[in-house]
Amino acid sequence: MQTNGSNGFFKVRVTASLAAGLSAFFILQFMPSLVFAQEIVRLVPTLKSEPLKVGNTSNASVESVALSELSTAIGRDTIVSLSDAASMARIVAIGDGFTIASQDDLVLVAGELPPAVASYSIFRPGRIHTRIIERFAEQRTPSGEIKSQIQELVYSGKAAFVAESQSDAAGTPKAWFRLTKSVGVIRVGDVIVSEAVQHAQEQRRDDSTAADALEGQVLSFFSEQQWGAKHSTLLLNRGRADGLTRGMRIMLAPPTKLGKERNEVLAEETAQAIIYSHMPYFSLAFVVFASQPIERGSRITRTLQVAP
């Protein structure tokens, strides 16, 4: 009785396993035509507007356009001296006790700001960069060096004046602003500046002499980006004192590397950029051509003729 029962149970298990195997076989044979024969939809992005319109010439190349024609493509990120950054008005509180703000939120700003201005720009303080200008053998300064320091300001949005608020104990003026535009997260500590003042600084020119060769390099790409490409913004450790002028074009090459015999290997030029803003010892440039990604430390190899 036990033997027959075991055999019967074994036969039932064998039959069930065989049925499951046949079912799986038929599914694999016939389902692919049903499941995998679906139409593949490819998403192709289309450009609705051209940010780099070059006059009325349809076949003009962005590599040859003038700086004035790139204004709509260049971002709002900027740099200021570290001392100027320290004195800028800043957001000290956000309405309703929030920790971050976005469009239409109220923010409390402390610091001096010009009144009766239509709009203000908001920036997030970024990296601080230092360039040693001169070293002294004798101790003429506490560190024996003269340095130039700047801070990145990453554009975050716009704000409009709402009403003045009570000054703090130190007499620092305060005012409430409403965010009219936000392109990033806005937090306490972000700086705010009049757009009229910013525009005047951007339009300032000088009479620097063009440089034939520079030994500068790329310091940053803003917003903690690790690589640059065509249409990126570059921060350079060279400026007016080195002969850079607005509209000047520079060629870039990857950083110098050591070969197998520990000798320096100079890479070929891979990018071209145009200077659009500069300080005495630092500049901002807009990449108009890049055959490969640009990395930090990329070298300025030469300058080209200033665009008209």
Side-chain angles (χ1 to χ4, degrees):
M1 294 291 293
Q2 292 180 352
T3 302
N4 292 336
S6 299
N7 292 338
F9 179 69
F10 177 74
K11 291 178 180 179
V12 170
R13 291 187 62 183
V14 170
T15 303
S17 299
L18 181 61
L22 291 173
S23 298
F25 173 77
F26 283 110
I27 289 175
L28 292 174
Q29 287 294 317
F30 298 105
M31 283 302 289
S33 60
L34 299 177
V35 177
F36 301 109
Q38 297 180 5
E39 181 182 359
I40 298 176
V41 178
R42 299 185 182 278
L43 300 179
V44 180
T46 58
L47 186 65
K48 292 185 177 181
S49 63
E50 174 54 61
L52 297 176
K53 291 182 178 179
V54 186
N56 297 321
T57 309
S58 59
N59 61 351
S61 169
V62 68
E63 289 85 351
S64 61
V65 300
L67 177 59
S68 59
E69 296 180 283
L70 294 173
S71 58
T72 57
I74 294 174
R76 301 291 300 276
D77 299 339
T78 188
I79 52 176
V80 295
S81 67
L82 194 57
S83 58
D84 287 345
S87 62
M88 284 183 167
R90 294 176 183 265
I91 296 175
V92 295
I94 298 174
D96 297 326
F98 292 159
T99 56
I100 60 175
S102 59
Q103 189 167 328
D104 294 329
D105 287 342
L106 291 174
V107 295
L108 181 62
V109 175
E112 295 286 349
L113 282 172
V117 176
S119 185
Y120 298 80
S121 295
I122 299 174
F123 296 89
R124 183 181 73 251
R127 293 185 174 187
I128 295 173
H129 299 275
T130 301
R131 177 180 168 186
I132 298 175
I133 307 305
E134 191 174 356
R135 285 189 173 93
F136 300 104
E138 64 275 11
Q139 198 74 6
R140 290 169 56 183
T141 63
S143 63
E145 300 171 337
I146 295 180
K147 302 177 181 179
S148 176
Q149 292 184 297
I150 55 100
Q151 184 166 27
E152 299 177 8
L153 294 182
V154 182
Y155 181 70
S156 298
K158 293 184 178 182
F161 175 81
V162 176
E164 292 184 356
S165 182
Q166 185 176 1
S167 301
D168 59 19
T172 304
K174 292 184 178 180
W176 286 99
F177 288 78
R178 184 178 300 279
L179 302 181
T180 57
K181 178 181 180 181
S182 62
V183 296
V185 176
I186 296 174
R187 296 184 174 90
V188 170
D190 287 357
V191 302
I192 182 169
V193 62
S194 162
E195 290 196 347
V197 173
Q198 182 189 0
H199 181 72
Q201 292 175 342
E202 290 174 352
Q203 295 301 315
R204 185 175 59 194
R205 294 173 178 265
D206 64 11
D207 298 322
S208 299
T209 303
D212 295 327
L214 298 168
E215 294 182 353
Q217 64 181 15
V218 175
L219 296 178
S220 172
F221 305 102
F222 285 94
S223 302
E224 300 300 326
Q225 296 182 32
Q226 299 301 313
W227 298 86
K230 187 175 181 179
H231 300 171
S232 291
T233 296
L234 307 179
L235 171 56
L236 309 170
N237 67 343
R238 290 295 182 269
R240 293 196 301 267
D242 307 291
L244 291 183
T245 58
R246 293 181 77 251
M248 178 180 288
R249 294 171 181 273
I250 58 173
M251 298 300 297
L252 299 166
T256 302
K257 302 184 183 300
L258 294 178
K260 294 181 179 179
E261 299 179 359
R262 308 300 294 175
N263 57 321
E264 291 188 351
V265 178
L266 298 178
E268 296 182 355
E269 295 173 342
T270 57
Q272 181 187 138
I274 183 170
I275 305 296
Y276 69 88
S277 178
H278 53 20
M279 298 178 67
Y281 301 105
F282 298 90
S283 294
L284 298 178
F286 180 78
V287 180
V288 295
F289 166 79
S291 61
Q292 66 182 48
I294 306 168
E295 57 185 302
R296 289 176 184 166
S298 292
R299 302 173 295 109
I300 301 175
T301 56
R302 58 192 173 100
T303 59
L304 304 178
Q305 185 177 0
V306 178

